[in-house]
Amino acid sequence: MPETGEGGRRLSGTLSQLRLRETLRDLQDRIEVLIGTRDKMDGLLDAVLAVASGLELDTTLRRIVQAAVDLVEARYGALGVLGADGGPLAEFVYQGIDEPTRELIGPLPEGHGLLGLVIDEAKPLRLEEISSHPASVGFPANHPPMHSFLGVPVRVRDEVFGNLYLTEKRDGEAFTDDDEVIVQALAAAAGIAIENAHLYQQARARQRWLGATSEVTTELLGGTDPVDALDLIAGRALELTGADATMLALPGDGRLDIDEDDEEPDELTVTVCAGFRADELTGFRMSVGETVPGSVYRDRTPRRVAELALAADRGYGPSLVVPLRAGDRTSGVLIAVREPGAPPFETSQLPVLASFADQAALALQLAAQQQAARERDVLSDRDRIARDLHDHVIQRLFAVGLAMQSTQRRAKAPEVQQRLQDSIDQLHEIVHEIRTAIFDLHGGAAGEVRLRHRLHEAIAELTDNAPLHPTVSMSGTLDTVPSQLAEQVEAVVREAVSNAVRHASAATVSVSVAVRDGMVQVSVADDGNGLPEHVSPSGLGNLRERAEASGGTFTLESRPGAGVRVDWSAPLH
């Protein structure tokens, strides 16, 4: 009995030691699990901090892939970024495959097979063997072998931005539940980091667009020719959109015009172009009724298209087409194009480019209006100086000449008569030189003969050798009268003044030409004997026909012994 009792105690002690060892071993395993979990949590925290530390989108995407590979000990990792409207993968950021192998594999994945399944279902997918899944389509030639797979969607504001793919766990085992939970947590943090990077990228883009808008406005309001500023607009749009070419197409023959015009043009002409084939595209004409730019010009609505056809032989890939809107008027369209097959423009680029085009159009309009105002001020000053010369200096010289002619007739000595005649001739030369100066003041740019100049020349030509004295008054923006109407006005003045010189027996003739209230008005009056009966009606009939053809009016008032007055008017447009 004692021996049995002793053996029992020994056996009981041995069992207790075994249970203790087992308990300690289990406790050690649990401690190791806790340590491993803590290490993974620490790794996840470090990964989240690393992912969130950058604001550049490309850098952020690469950090996400690297962090996921490190956390679950995968050999390969990738982040597929979805294209517009959830289409094929627009970007594929990978880790674990070197560049020589990447070149041997060929094109990057577009989202088919298992990758497409994760895209379509937008939920995690974990496999022990890739090839065993029905959606697997195999790997291309030269692709490294892959077996285990873990795919997790990355969401930004509840929308799937892309998917995180991991393959080949380093120990040869399958990915675990813990791996899936960790990668999902990383994907959630990645979504926040991607959104921050997007916001930062958009803020920088807006800053660049605002800088470009400010540059264009400063150049225009600083006195730069509006036509030269079109090159600056096209260049900045090319740089900021990442397009292959940008074009500014203006209505009609492509001239920049701020005047209101209710008529819709049949064509748009590429006035300036930046980027590839710029020389070839400049001057190209496109139909308003049959092209996307024409539709944008008509309905003033920006468009983003996958393909753009300007003509049968003019096709482009992704394009942005926006109108140049200033108030309720459209002065043209701005077009940004890429080559066929190029990546599409981002949806966010369209409103930004449209806003830039609107601001540029407004700056163009303000600059053109300022330039027109400066020209009107210069013309007004010239008119005032010319008026003073004509109404004061020439009149006084003319009076002096008449007095000298009267004195010459009374002089007895031939020498005195000759000296007086020489002086009279010099006065005529002085008057002619002053009239030439007046014409130059009324004239426009070098090589351009404007309406004021032409009218003064015509009146001087008809009255220089005539016995009557002309008085000329001109007001308003005569030099902006359209060329065809200007020819009509000159013809009317010539006909009316010619009649006064040849038939009126008048001492004076008064010519008034003015632009006011959208009309050009001509009035010619003399102090002669009235309209003779034998005057041919053909000339007066021409005046009436010209008025009717121009949509204007013609009146003739003949007062026997008190002269003739002709009034002729026509609308500017």
Side-chain angles (χ1 to χ4, degrees), residues 59-80:
T59 303
T60 299
L61 298 181
R62 295 190 180 281
R63 284 178 176 173
I64 292 171
V65 177
Q66 184 63 57
V69 167
D70 293 341
L71 280 174
V72 298
E73 299 179 345
R75 291 187 60 188
Y76 307 104
L79 178 60

Side-chain angles (χ1 to χ4, degrees), residues 248-249 293 295-303 320-326 329-335 350 353-361:
L248 275 166
S295 299
V296 171
Y297 178 82
R298 290 196 311 271
D299 59 29
R300 311 181 73 205
T301 303
R303 284 181 173 81
L320 300 175
V321 187
V322 299
L324 295 169
R325 299 171 295 196
R329 185 170 182 272
T330 305
S331 56
V333 294
L334 174 59
I335 309 168
L350 183 62
L353 181 62
S355 177
F356 171 73
D358 290 343
Q359 294 297 322

Side-chain angles (χ1 to χ4, degrees), residues 213 216-217 220 325 353-365:
T213 301
V216 170
T217 304
L220 283 168
R325 299 171 295 196
L353 181 62
S355 177
F356 171 73
D358 290 343
Q359 294 297 322
L362 181 59
L364 282 169
Q365 187 180 60

Side-chain angles (χ1 to χ4, degrees), residues 448-459:
E448 180 183 3
V449 181
R450 296 193 176 184
L451 180 58
R452 288 177 182 269
H453 195 164
R454 288 158 55 184
L455 293 179
H456 277 292
E457 285 186 334
I459 295 169

Side-chain angles (χ1 to χ4, degrees), residues 230 247-272 283-289 291 293-294 296-298 322-325 329-335 361 364:
L230 296 178
M247 296 169 269
L248 275 166
L250 304 183
D253 58 3
R255 291 183 298 178
L256 184 62
D257 186 8
I258 65 168
D259 292 334
E260 294 291 340
D261 190 353
D262 295 332
E263 295 185 4
E264 182 178 294
D266 296 327
E267 291 182 323
L268 296 174
T269 302
V270 177
T271 303
V272 297
F284 174 73
R285 293 174 177 264
M286 65 191 79
S287 171
V288 170
T291 60
V296 171
Y297 178 82
R298 290 196 311 271
V322 299
L324 295 169
R325 299 171 295 196
R329 185 170 182 272
T330 305
S331 56
V333 294
L334 174 59
I335 309 168
L364 282 169

Side-chain angles (χ1 to χ4, degrees), residues 13-96:
T14 301
L15 292 175
S16 298
Q17 290 178 356
L18 290 176
R19 284 195 295 271
L20 179 60
R21 289 175 183 174
E22 185 176 339
T23 301
L24 291 174
R25 192 179 301 112
D26 183 55
L27 180 60
Q28 183 178 4
D29 291 340
R30 292 190 178 187
I31 291 174
E32 290 178 354
V33 169
L34 290 174
I35 294 174
T37 302
R38 185 198 64 185
D39 291 340
K40 288 186 177 182
M41 291 301 101
D42 291 342
L44 177 61
L45 180 59
D46 293 339
V48 170
L49 293 175
V51 166
S53 63
L55 290 175
E56 294 290 343
L57 183 59
D58 291 342
T59 303
T60 299
L61 298 181
R62 295 190 180 281
R63 284 178 176 173
I64 292 171
V65 177
Q66 184 63 57
V69 167
D70 293 341
L71 280 174
V72 298
E73 299 179 345
R75 291 187 60 188
Y76 307 104
L79 178 60
V81 180
L82 298 182
D85 303 322
L89 295 180
E91 190 174 357
F92 197 78
V93 182
Y94 57 90
Q95 180 72 29

Side-chain angles (χ1 to χ4, degrees), residues 38 43 83 106 109 184 232 320 337 376-377 409 419 477 545:
R38 185 198 64 185
Q184 282 185 288
L232 179 61
L320 300 175
V337 299
R376 285 194 295 269
D377 290 342
R409 287 193 292 269
R419 292 186 65 179
T477 55
E545 290 175 0

